[in-house]
Amino acid sequence: MQRSRPRTPSLLRRAAATLAALAALCAGLAGVGPAPSAAAATSGAAASRDNPGYWLVAADGGVYAFGAGKYGQARGTALTRPVVGAAATPDGGGYWLVASDGGIFTYGDARYLGSTGAITLNKPIVDMAPTPDGGGYWMVASDGGIFAFGAAPYLGSTGSAPGPSPIVAIAATAHGSAYPPGAVGSDYSWPQCASNGWSAGYPPAGRPVSVVGVDNGSSPYARTDPSTRFNPCFTDEATNAGTNLTVYVNVDQDQPSNPEAVSGPKGPCATTDLVCTGYNWGWNNVNASVSFVRSTKFTPTLWWLDVERPCGSSSPLWMCGTDGQASNAAVIQGAVDALHAAGLVAGIYSTSYQWPLITGGSSGNDTVTYPGLPIWIAWAPGSSTQDTQQYWASLCTNASYAFAGGTPYLIQWIPGNGTYKTPTDPFDADYACPDE
């Protein structure tokens, strides 16, 4: 990642179901809305993948099969709310029905993986979609709030910022991720601005893996100045990334006396309470970055937190000692929570060496973990003979490179000891890990 010295930045397979559900809840979803109108709830349809047919589903849970087997129906069941959607399993051997309160009904080989039937929602559920392998599913509410279950990752929502019209449906991608598995791309930020003397332009537009830095690479001491806080080329670089835009945010050590550390969700804090000020610092800095990106009207699908350069490195960005590590961990927790509260997907960029030294522990011994959270493995080793997709894919499953209990989504590497960075393509290279 770009920081205060010109070095290029370094980036979802599956978040654990518990994290996904928590993130969706943090997006502001709470409260069952009124039952949908008869017109909106009259029927839903689900297609069979292997059989040339489909099912129609009525609001009372009745199922009508056309060219496909009928595995059961909810008609005759005392429904709390009407059925509003349906989805087929990947092999067409079953289907799910979903009611407007998020209650799930399973038939055939469809598995029950959880529901919102016992949760009070802000707005009613209007549709559902399964993951490509059927190991999870998403539900969407009319305000765009997302609930994820099973292996379905939480990828963000509009629950905290609904649009002018209600959401009426959800459709899943073929691979269920922000990046196509096995795709290769680049990360870039403020050092690639022409104003900084950069003359090589940007990577090819629309690369399937495109990660753009939000911040201006400044140290935390300078972050309160809005004129220098953010990447001056963000809009141009985000436009270059196109619909594949994902972003990263710099996170650094607490500044206990800074107003952004003293006040916040954990404040007011005493300047000596480094856990309290650390959490506020992480929360407020990320919220500022989110506000900046939203002001540009871009909607990244994934937000990475750049966590690197521990105490003892040549240019450290994090506190030392046990108390310092506790504060560092609180900064990161505040940043993760801020992204989830904004309805966004959080991931962490670091290495298995740096992460425990920053958050507490020793090399290879993580004491602060985020099970299932997307991770971007930085600075993976490469050589002229190893730079192949097969080699990069092996790094995704090599436990010695993982950290924080997360799930590898991206591998960043400097192939051939930097030979990848040629005059025609002088950018960090990033590889999207295959599906598990």
Side-chain angles (χ1 to χ4, degrees):
M1 301 295 185
Q2 286 84 358
R3 292 288 191 160
S4 54
R5 55 193 177 100
R7 183 180 57 71
T8 36
S10 310
L11 177 340
L12 250 174
R13 206 64 41 219
R14 289 186 177 83
T18 52
L19 173 65
L22 175 60
L25 291 173
C26 288
L29 306 175
V32 172
S37 68
T42 298
S43 66
S48 162
R49 174 170 294 186
D50 295 329
N51 300 322
Y54 48 84
W55 300 274
L56 301 182
V57 182
D60 64 356
V63 174
Y64 303 88
F66 298 89
K70 182 174 179 178
Y71 304 107
Q73 63 180 2
R75 178 173 286 156
T77 302
L79 300 176
T80 303
R81 291 288 188 272
V83 171
V84 293
T89 59
D91 63 359
Y95 41 78
W96 295 271
L97 308 184
V98 62
S100 65
D101 62 354
I104 288 286
F105 304 87
T106 61
Y107 301 96
D109 61 6
R111 293 185 296 149
Y112 177 80
L113 300 170
S115 76
T116 63
I119 299 174
T120 302
L121 307 173
N122 273 340
K123 296 293 183 180
I125 299 297
V126 294
D127 198 14
M128 70 175 296
T131 58
D133 63 0
Y137 45 75
W138 296 274
M139 300 180 202
V140 63
S142 64
D143 61 355
I146 290 289
F147 294 87
F149 298 93
Y154 174 74
L155 304 176
S157 76
T158 62
S160 61
S165 296
I167 299 298
V168 297
I170 181 174
T173 64
H175 51 81
S177 167
Y179 308 110
V184 177
S186 307
D187 55 80
Y188 45 110
S189 188
W190 61 272
Q192 284 75 44
C193 290
S195 59
N196 288 328
W198 185 263
S199 60
Y202 300 139
R207 276 186 169 174
V209 178
S210 296
V211 195
V212 174
V214 175
D215 304 308
N216 197 25
S218 58
S219 74
Y221 303 98
R223 282 229 187 118
T224 54
D225 183 350
S227 66
T228 60
R229 187 166 189 161
F230 302 111
N231 176 4
C233 294
F234 179 81
T235 297
D236 288 344
E237 291 176 348
T239 299
N240 184 74
T243 58
N244 302 320
L245 174 66
T246 55
V247 297
Y248 76 86
V249 177
N250 295 333
V251 285
D252 308 286
Q253 67 182 16
D254 177 21
Q255 302 298 313
S257 61
N258 191 296
E260 293 189 30
V262 174
S263 299
K266 295 292 186 183
C269 304
T271 57
T272 55
D273 187 346
L274 299 183
V275 170
C276 182
T277 56
Y279 187 93
N280 288 343
W281 180 253
W283 177 285
N284 287 326
N285 272 288
V286 164
N287 267 343
S289 294
V290 170
S291 295
F292 167 74
V293 171
R294 285 180 168 168
S295 73
T296 67
K297 308 303 181 183
F298 288 97
T299 55
T301 57
L302 177 59
W303 289 68
W304 294 102
L305 300 174
D306 178 1
V307 180
E308 57 179 315
R309 289 160 58 180
C311 174
S313 63
S314 59
S315 301
L317 292 170
W318 297 93
M319 290 185 177
C320 302
T322 302
D323 291 343
Q325 289 176 324
S327 179
N328 298 341
V331 171
I332 297 165
Q333 185 68 64
V336 170
D337 289 352
L339 289 174
H340 286 168
L344 303 171
V345 186
I348 296 173
Y349 165 93
S350 193
T351 67
S352 58
Y353 171 76
Q354 296 182 96
W355 175 259
L357 297 181
I358 292 169
T359 62
S362 56
S363 180
N365 179 27
D366 298 353
T367 58
V368 176
T369 60
Y370 293 90
L373 199 74
I375 61 172
W376 180 7
I377 297 173
W379 311 346
S383 73
S384 58
T385 59
Q386 290 176 315
D387 294 335
T388 65
Q389 291 205 8
Q390 182 178 6
Y391 170 66
W392 303 327
S394 72
L395 301 181
C396 295
T397 56
N398 188 327
S400 65
Y401 291 102
F403 57 88
T407 300
Y409 276 52
L410 283 185
I411 300 291
Q412 181 199 49
W413 80 103
I414 310 299
N417 296 318
T419 56
Y420 182 90
K421 295 185 176 183
T422 67
T424 57
D425 200 349
F427 303 95
D428 286 350
D430 299 289
Y431 171 79
C433 291
D435 285 321
E436 295 177 349

